[in-house]
Amino acid sequence: MGGYFMLCTKCEKGGSSRNICPMSFGLSVGLVSFFAVLFWTLWVMHYGMPPMMIAMHIPAPTLANGFEHALLALLKGFLFGFFVALFYDLISCCFACCKKSGESCGSGTDRK
């Protein structure tokens, strides 16, 4: 397929299979964040505001406001998960390539 989808394949040419696809990991973290915020909004709308939210003068959420915050949580969760998986893939690929070539990975100790 080429292009971006190469990130979801194995490291370089047949390297480590420990890689995480950044798109799928980002989407999963984003969806979990979305539903957490949406369910929290529904909970607060049904059972009322917790005392700490009342003490901090936070307004009661509406369904539209809660959905807006849930969409923001989806976006932020996607970006967070995407970059965590991307950095994990880059770091694990570096250590796998160092281990194959027998070079030091920069940690001061060789793990052969």
Side-chain angles (χ1 to χ4, degrees), residues 16-75:
S16 175
S17 63
R18 295 174 294 176
N19 291 348
I20 301 171
C21 180
M23 289 293 287
S24 61
F25 190 72
L27 188 60
S28 64
V29 171
L31 284 175
V32 167
S33 301
F34 174 83
F35 285 117
V37 171
L38 190 63
F39 289 150
W40 174 252
T41 299
L42 294 174
W43 178 273
V44 169
M45 287 175 59
H46 187 266
Y47 291 109
M49 299 276 285
M52 183 172 239
M53 289 177 73
I54 293 171
M56 298 195 67
H57 304 289
I58 297 174
T62 61
L63 190 57
N65 192 7
F67 191 71
E68 178 184 335
H69 285 285
L71 288 175
L72 286 173
L74 174 70
L75 177 66

